[in-house]
């Protein structure tokens, strides 16, 4: 049986709309991050190295000129309630989306459900987010990854 976690959803538009600015913002977090980049040569699993500028895919620097969408998330324990994901889309902008256990400014109440997927026989953990409409109905809203694709 699935359990619902009472949490808070916070989405913040970042001041930077450039890929380089988003990477710089992610590096200030000083937490291990991984994710994926959609590139003109296909999707790439990526990691963020806090010692080197840029992104790496399979240990090699990724050509940022090929990236048109990016999702990076803090790597957490699969039992974590809090989550953070940084998103960027070319010509659209960037955002930081967080799930937090206590209310903060701009937070929206929500419930989260833990999800587990398999990626190349490796479990990937995520939180699926539901918000409520004015009648109290739960609606799927977002999904944030906790682990995987490292």
């Amino acid at each position: 049986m699935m359990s619902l976690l009472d949490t808070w959803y916070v989405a913040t538009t970042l001041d930077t709309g450039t890929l380089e600015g988003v990477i710089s913002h992610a590096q200030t977090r000083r937490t291990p991050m991984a994710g994926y980049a959609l590139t003109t040569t296909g999707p790439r699993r990526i990691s963020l190295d806090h010692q080197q500028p840029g992104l790496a895919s399979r240990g090699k620097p990724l050509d940022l000129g090929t990236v048109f969408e990016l999702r990076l998330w803090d790597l957490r324990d699969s039992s974590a309630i809090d989550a953070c994901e940084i998103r960027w889309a070319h010509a659209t902008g960037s955002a930081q989306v967080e799930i937090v256990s206590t209310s903060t400014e701009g937070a929206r109440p929500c419930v989260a459900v833990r999800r587990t997927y398999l990626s190349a026989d490796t479990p990937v953990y995520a939180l699926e987010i539901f918000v409520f409409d004015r009648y109290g109905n739960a609606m799927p809203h977002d999904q944030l990854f906790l682990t995987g694709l490292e």
Side-chain angles (χ1 to χ4, degrees):
M1 173 155 178
M2 75 177 157
S3 63
L4 300 176
L5 307 167
D6 289 319
T7 60
W8 297 85
Y9 180 87
V10 183
T12 308
T13 301
L14 298 178
D15 292 334
T16 182
T18 67
L19 179 56
E20 292 80 3
V22 168
I23 293 169
S24 177
H25 171 79
Q27 287 178 318
T28 64
R29 294 185 60 80
R30 298 279 179 216
T31 59
M33 298 189 88
Y36 67 83
L38 299 181
T39 73
T40 55
T41 58
R44 300 284 180 254
R45 292 177 179 195
I46 57 169
S47 60
L48 179 69
D49 182 353
H50 294 286
Q51 307 303 319
Q52 303 288 330
L55 301 170
S57 177
R58 295 186 177 158
K60 297 179 183 173
L62 182 67
D63 178 2
L64 299 183
T66 66
V67 178
F68 59 88
E69 185 174 331
L70 173 72
R71 286 180 75 169
L72 278 172
W73 51 85
D74 284 354
L75 295 175
R76 305 282 175 117
D77 182 276
S78 62
S79 64
I81 294 175
D82 294 355
C84 179
E85 191 169 300
I86 297 171
R87 300 171 180 173
W88 174 82
H90 179 70
T92 303
S94 57
Q96 180 170 299
V97 180
E98 296 177 275
I99 301 302
V100 294
S101 54
T102 57
S103 179
T104 62
E105 183 178 338
R108 181 176 184 181
C110 66
V111 292
V113 178
R114 294 184 199 285
R115 297 288 188 220
T116 306
Y117 306 99
L118 282 179
S119 175
D121 296 326
T122 302
V124 176
Y125 299 97
L127 292 175
E128 187 173 5
I129 309 306
F130 295 85
V131 296
F132 300 96
D133 68 10
R134 63 182 176 164
Y135 302 107
N137 298 311
M139 302 176 304
H141 188 69
D142 207 338
Q143 183 168 335
L144 280 78
F145 291 97
L146 300 170
T147 65
L149 305 182
E150 296 92 72

